[in-house]
Amino acid sequence: MQLPVTLCPIPLPPPEQQVARNAAFAAEGEARNRYHLPSGLASPSPVGYRKRLALTQEEAASAAALLALEPPSAFVDGAAPTEAELFEEAALGVLSARQSTNFRGQRQVTLGPEDSAAIAGILRAAGAPALDNARYTHVALTRPYRTPFTFLLTFVGHSAWTSPFGVLNRAWQKKFAHADDIPTIGYLQHLHVGIWADAVERAALIASGGARRAHVVLAPFADRGRQPAIERLIGLDDAAIAEGWRVAFVAQVGAVAEASPLSPELCRKVGANLLAFRSERIQPGVNAEEKAPPQYQTRQDMDVPQALTEMAGRAGYNAFCRWTGVDRESAKRLLLLERIDVLTPTGKERLRAVRSHLEDVTDTLVRRLPLWVDLPTGRALSRNALRGKKAFALAGQRIYVGGLCKPEIEAAGLSFAHAVRAFGAAASRSALVCELAGCIDLPEGCDLLSGICLMAGPVNQNDIGKSFYGGRDLLADAFTGRDPTSLLVWTLKAKTVADPIGNEEQLMNASQKGALVDLRPGPADVAALRIAGQNIPMRQRDGRVNSERAFADVGNFVRDAAGNDIPGNVGSAWPETWRSERPWA
Amino acid sequence: MGVSPFDTPPVVPLWRTALKRGAGGSIPHIAATARTLRGDPAAYAEVCGLPASPMLPVCFPDMLCRGLQLAVLTDPAFPVPLLGIVHVRQRIEQRRAIAADEPLSGHVWVEGHRPAQRGGELDMHTVVSNGEEALWHGVTTILSRDLPRLPEANEPEPKREPKPETPFQHQRSTAWTVPEDLGRRYAKVSGDVNPIHQYAWTAKLFGFKRAIAHGWWTLARCLAEMDVSSDTWPGVLSVDARFLSPVSLPSTVWFTSGPMDDTVDGVTGTTSGFALRSSGKLALTGTVTQTIAR
């Protein structure tokens, strides 16, 4: 069902345009801003400030296998995992899966071999596919998506006279019935689960150096609600259930007989790269702010090649086929993808129309915010909403707007919630094509050659317009007469300079706010190992918590031009005695 | 000059250390020995963030001898009051890894002092043996303002130059939080109930804004962060650390360490440097040298 994906190199711009971020520490007395290196990183996260590593074309060809992975058909006997392997697998999965790192909404409990056998039995009894001989099993948990943005939404879409009651009712429904203000907020949870599930397949392979693979069972969990047998097995308590925590998927992991498409060395390199990929919002010369350094001010003569854009689409269809089980032609029919080629006149016009539409929604939202909540907060809510305009400006050379048509999905015999999960996987895998390709033959002096920004914000904004102000879907013009629901937008950018490191700091510095992608949590915050009937937080022991960065041996840490580290960024390896333990051996 | 022999290290009550007065003068040879040393390395390892091990943690032998050290320092012949003394430097040489169940004896002594910039310094030696050979030798350098300082140091101290950056490549660079209750937890396993380590209000009585971490804990935690242990290094292990400023409780501290060179006096081994910063100041800096043999 899945077709091989080819990673195409990105043609370089002229030498004078091959520029990099080159961030420096603020000099003594100089006011620090988002273009300076952070003064330090105090975080248990395995991620840290990282930079992309160059891949040769041969390495990229091997790594492309990750974009068309088929699930394993059987597990064979193999070595028990070490604690270090489990840590790095979690680092690439629950702790950093792109756009799925809102740790407030995702957790993981990992079961040993005995519990893995028990859960395989539970899956089979429920009619779900399961493999024997799993060395360990991740049970992924999810809960409704809640962030400062969803808090703001509570105040949106009420009539002027009834707003106090409407707000109270909405807040009550949210708190106790886990209701969502607009449909796409509910879909966010599913999109994140899909992205995470797709990442777990790659994570198991990479963290084990190719020795192990994950068999992810996703389909049965989208609509079923409670899973008492599994909940008991992982010790999910009543308080967690009341908070809305539910089983999202089950990932069995074990050794496989087939050879790995990636060598162990390449696994390390790709793993380190995956931890370096960030959303790239800035297109040099297009949407940089005035005070940005010169390298952000000049347009770069480079483009995301047509062939790569097509491969990004192919990888997306691969993922949709993998997770829904539909054939390729059905995937192409069901997955609604509008491609906007911004460098063409039609593309420019379309982009302007999308921007204008989203700005209209924002203006209406701000105009109709109840004054009784906005004024006492010093108009913080409306100012926050207006800030979204910049985020929804959609800069990039190629833009995909994607979604699904609910009646068509249901007519195809699929659960819509599950299809949304598969869509999340498709979008992130499609985006990954561009990110990996951006590392091919990456020259010195360039941070990347292409990157992406995967966003739900524009479709949420569009959905506000749809739900409250009678607007149309973002995909309505591209798919006339088909009742589309847009779900994600991803922009593909060819450029050589990475976004300001201050943008990353928002994701990692606990003292800064970061509403969506959150790379702050340490393993102990989101991952636990089930040992002797207890959930043991990963890497929290004897008063210590993790300070190791995953794949640190590869050494792709951000440094200044003189090679100085950001204090705390390199991290510190967990004691070898603990790293080499085999938790269930 | 005197040697106090004990079967096991004595328990010296806090009031004896608090009320210890000094008569001044030079420090004679004062020693104390114990035939048997006992302790709970598992509890110690836990509070210092060390993996449990059948071997003793590198700093643990000092704790086994804490009672002997206090017996020496509170000896009537010891001429220095204990209030206000500061632990400024620590050297350790562990000749080989010590098994937790190995029978051990201890010997602690002091003798003499030397003038220094801010007072006089004395070295307290702690030796732990297995009856046949010395396995562990610690030299604790203590500064006392009650001892004579260098003659030229009677002048006002010149404005200090900024301390140079630690001369090693960062192999580890991390931050961790030192919790508020650390002093009390460490006191439970070490028996060191000095009020400056317990609560902010008890520390304030002695001139500190907040409680401060035990120096020995700080050193042990740094070694734990470097994964320096008897498990990972069975050979000769030398530590040389300087305590430069206190670590307040609670606080976030910034740790760095990395290799310095590959040979030590022509003998195969490695030396790693480490530094700990607290509140923007260097709190502790030092080296760890691991050699096959001397």
Side-chain angles (χ1 to χ4, degrees):
Chain A
M1 281 193 302
Q2 300 191 56
L3 297 179
V5 174
T6 308
L7 293 173
C8 324
I10 313 286
L12 290 169
E16 68 277 11
Q17 292 179 7
Q18 294 176 23
V19 290
R21 182 163 63 190
N22 289 333
F25 293 104
E28 202 158 323
E30 186 184 9
R32 211 172 68 75
N33 61 36
R34 64 207 290 248
Y35 301 99
H36 286 116
L37 289 175
S39 53
L41 176 63
S43 170
S45 160
V47 181
Y49 299 104
R50 312 290 274 259
K51 57 187 182 185
R52 291 164 174 83
L53 291 160
L55 297 174
T56 64
Q57 297 201 23
E58 293 74 29
E59 287 172 333
S62 299
L66 295 170
L67 303 162
L69 276 183
E70 292 293 351
S73 53
F75 291 135
V76 299
D77 286 338
T82 62
E83 191 276 346
E85 288 171 328
L86 292 167
F87 161 70
E88 291 202 324
E89 196 176 319
L92 293 177
V94 64
L95 283 157
S96 73
R98 305 300 315 284
Q99 291 286 328
S100 68
T101 52
N102 169 21
F103 80 101
R104 299 166 194 90
Q106 294 177 343
R107 278 166 42 189
Q108 171 180 293
V109 179
T110 303
L111 309 173
E114 284 178 21
D115 287 336
S116 291
I119 206 167
I122 294 170
L123 290 172
R124 275 199 203 95
L131 299 182
D132 288 322
N133 227 4
R135 266 292 173 183
Y136 53 97
T137 301
H138 304 300
V139 177
L141 297 167
T142 176
R143 73 168 178 182
Y145 189 85
R146 296 290 177 261
T147 67
F149 170 63
T150 62
F151 170 74
L152 170 64
L153 274 181
T154 317
F155 303 102
V156 172
H158 305 279
S159 74
W161 297 105
T162 60
S163 62
F165 307 103
V167 168
L168 277 177
N169 179 47
R170 198 91 73 71
W172 178 274
Q173 294 293 329
K174 254 191 207 177
K175 173 78 182 165
F176 297 105
H178 308 300
D180 299 300
D181 298 285
I182 52 174
T184 52
I185 291 298
Y187 301 150
L188 269 176
Q189 181 184 3
H190 296 303
L191 290 167
H192 285 178
V193 166
I195 294 168
W196 181 14
D198 208 51
V200 163
E201 285 198 335
R202 292 185 289 272
L205 187 154
I206 292 168
S208 65
R212 279 187 286 272
R213 299 280 298 277
H215 176 256
V216 181
V217 181
L218 179 68
F221 299 105
D223 294 311
R224 286 200 185 168
R226 299 277 312 276
Q227 301 285 334
I230 299 177
E231 288 166 6
R232 271 196 302 278
L233 198 61
I234 60 169
L236 193 67
D237 59 27
D238 291 342
I241 291 165
E243 284 175 7
W245 288 101
R246 299 289 182 269
V247 175
F249 62 83
V250 171
Q252 301 179 287
V253 185
V256 289
E258 58 260 43
S260 166
L262 281 74
S263 68
E265 296 75 29
L266 183 56
C267 284
R268 306 297 305 163
K269 207 169 176 182
V270 171
N273 257 332
L274 288 172
L275 293 178
F277 294 153
R278 305 275 180 272
S279 280
E280 294 294 334
R281 295 167 186 275
I282 307 296
Q283 184 75 55
V286 176
N287 62 342
E289 58 185 354
E290 276 180 19
K291 68 173 183 182
Q295 60 267 43
Y296 292 104
Q297 304 292 4
T298 312
R299 274 181 186 265
Q300 295 180 304
D301 298 326
M302 57 194 305
D303 190 6
V304 178
Q306 171 77 9
L308 183 67
T309 316
E310 286 167 8
M311 283 298 154
R314 174 180 283 193
Y317 292 124
N318 274 355
F320 197 74
C321 291
R322 157 72 185 95
W323 295 109
T324 58
V326 301
D327 60 50
R328 200 160 192 88
E329 286 311 307
S330 301
K332 285 187 171 176
R333 183 171 47 81
L334 294 172
L335 203 57
L336 310 182
L337 291 184
E338 180 191 5
R339 202 174 97 191
I340 304 173
D341 293 327
V342 178
L343 299 182
T344 65
T346 330
K348 279 193 178 73
E349 194 183 324
R350 176 71 181 121
L351 182 58
R352 269 195 291 270
V354 170
R355 280 180 184 161
S356 163
H357 169 69
L358 294 176
E359 285 185 6
D360 287 347
V361 174
T362 306
D363 291 338
T364 312
L365 185 158
V366 169
R367 210 170 47 244
R368 296 196 189 175
L369 260 183
L371 287 177
W372 62 268
V373 288
D374 202 26
L375 287 179
T377 56
R379 291 205 176 263
L381 298 181
S382 50
R383 274 189 283 119
N384 190 45
L386 284 169
R387 264 203 300 272
K389 274 190 179 180
K390 196 172 153 195
F392 307 146
L394 303 182
Q397 289 105 342
R398 316 266 185 180
I399 298 173
Y400 275 114
V401 182
L404 298 168
C405 172
K406 193 171 183 183
E408 289 174 22
I409 291 291
E410 287 170 350
L414 294 171
S415 136
F416 189 65
H418 178 62
V420 172
R421 292 178 175 197
F423 181 87
S428 70
R429 206 188 289 187
S430 165
L432 189 56
V433 171
C434 193
E435 294 183 303
L436 284 170
C439 298
I440 300 174
D441 296 336
L442 180 64
E444 281 287 317
C446 296
D447 296 322
L448 73 167
L449 296 175
S450 63
I452 61 102
C453 183
L454 180 60
M455 290 175 283
V459 299
N460 295 144
Q461 196 72 346
N462 173 66
D463 201 19
I464 291 171
K466 270 171 72 178
S467 301
F468 302 127
Y469 312 131
R472 301 172 68 215
D473 194 88
L474 268 185
L475 291 171
D477 290 335
F479 298 93
T480 47
R482 289 182 66 183
D483 192 17
T485 299
S486 52
L487 292 168
L488 284 171
V489 175
W490 55 112
T491 58
L492 281 54
K493 300 176 177 73
K495 60 175 192 170
T496 68
V497 53
D499 273 9
I501 197 159
N503 292 13
E504 284 186 57
E505 198 175 358
Q506 278 197 330
L507 317 180
M508 279 189 268
N509 185 341
S511 65
Q512 294 200 5
K513 70 167 188 165
L516 297 171
V517 181
D518 189 341
L519 296 175
R520 297 178 196 106
D525 299 315
V526 295
L529 304 181
R530 185 93 178 152
I531 298 171
Q534 299 288 317
N535 288 348
I536 312 294
M538 184 182 272
R539 296 218 162 173
Q540 180 177 327
R541 205 161 166 176
D542 294 357
R544 289 175 72 169
V545 292
N546 177 61
S547 56
E548 177 176 333
R549 312 291 175 224
F551 299 91
D553 55 308
V554 184
N556 61 331
F557 294 102
V558 172
R559 295 183 167 91
D560 74 359
N564 295 310
D565 285 316
I566 299 167
N569 187 39
V570 171
S572 176
W574 200 234
E576 193 52 41
T577 310
W578 291 343
R579 295 181 91 249
S580 55
E581 281 178 358
R582 297 182 191 272
W584 301 284
Chain B
M1 177 183 258
V3 177
S4 306
F6 298 95
D7 281 338
T8 58
V11 176
V12 179
L14 183 64
W15 64 264
R16 271 188 63 192
T17 58
L19 297 180
K20 171 82 175 84
R21 293 285 174 265
S26 61
I27 299 172
H29 182 88
I30 308 169
T33 60
R35 286 191 302 178
T36 308
L37 301 176
R38 287 199 194 96
D40 183 356
Y44 174 86
E46 193 175 329
V47 79
C48 295
L50 287 153
S53 164
M55 298 297 176
L56 291 185
V58 176
C59 296
F60 187 71
D62 179 87
M63 219 178 67
L64 291 175
C65 296
R66 184 62 38 82
L68 291 178
Q69 293 167 345
L70 288 175
V72 166
L73 296 179
T74 56
D75 190 284
F78 186 70
V80 179
L82 298 190
L83 277 179
I85 63 170
V86 183
H87 186 181
V88 292
R89 188 171 178 188
Q90 184 64 47
R91 279 168 288 161
I92 296 171
E93 183 170 279
Q94 181 172 280
R95 301 292 302 169
R96 66 161 169 82
I98 305 170
D101 56 0
E102 219 167 322
L104 298 172
S105 59
H107 180 199
V108 174
W109 79 92
V110 292
E111 183 172 11
H113 68 275
R114 57 187 171 270
Q117 187 78 24
R118 289 183 291 155
E121 285 183 357
L122 64 102
D123 289 336
M124 178 167 64
H125 296 259
T126 303
V127 174
V128 172
S129 319
N130 64 354
E132 294 171 2
E133 56 173 338
L135 302 176
W136 190 96
H137 183 184
V139 181
T140 303
T141 302
I142 292 167
L143 173 78
S144 168
R145 289 177 190 272
D146 292 295
L147 289 168
R149 62 174 65 188
L150 288 167
E152 62 271 27
N154 289 324
E155 300 294 321
E157 281 190 30
K159 195 175 174 185
R160 285 186 200 168
E161 291 294 311
K163 290 199 169 68
E165 278 297 303
T166 41
F168 48 82
Q169 282 294 311
H170 295 172
Q171 195 174 57
R172 295 172 188 263
S173 171
T174 187
W176 71 75
T177 304
V178 189
E180 187 276 333
D181 67 346
L182 174 82
R184 301 189 291 279
R185 286 172 47 219
Y186 187 75
K188 271 186 194 163
V189 299
S190 68
D192 183 349
V193 291
N194 189 333
I196 63 172
H197 303 305
Q198 306 302 309
Y199 296 93
W201 68 268
T202 54
K204 275 180 184 157
L205 298 174
F206 295 90
F208 292 90
K209 286 181 183 168
R210 287 187 283 168
I212 61 170
H214 291 78
W216 269 107
W217 177 86
T218 312
L219 176 57
R221 181 66 182 80
C222 287
L223 298 185
E225 194 64 48
M226 296 168 76
D227 212 3
V228 170
S229 74
S230 304
D231 283 325
T232 54
W233 192 254
V236 180
L237 207 152
S238 308
V239 178
D240 190 346
R242 291 173 64 208
F243 298 94
L244 300 167
S245 63
V247 172
S248 297
L249 301 176
S251 64
T252 297
V253 292
W254 296 81
F255 174 82
T256 49
S257 75
M260 295 179 76
D261 58 41
D262 292 318
T263 56
V264 183
D265 300 335
V267 179
T268 304
T270 58
T271 298
S272 298
F274 65 92
L276 188 77
R277 283 180 170 74
S278 174
S279 307
K281 289 192 285 191
L282 262 181
L284 174 62
T285 182
T287 58
V288 179
T289 302
Q290 298 170 313
T291 47
I292 300 291
R294 281 257 160 106

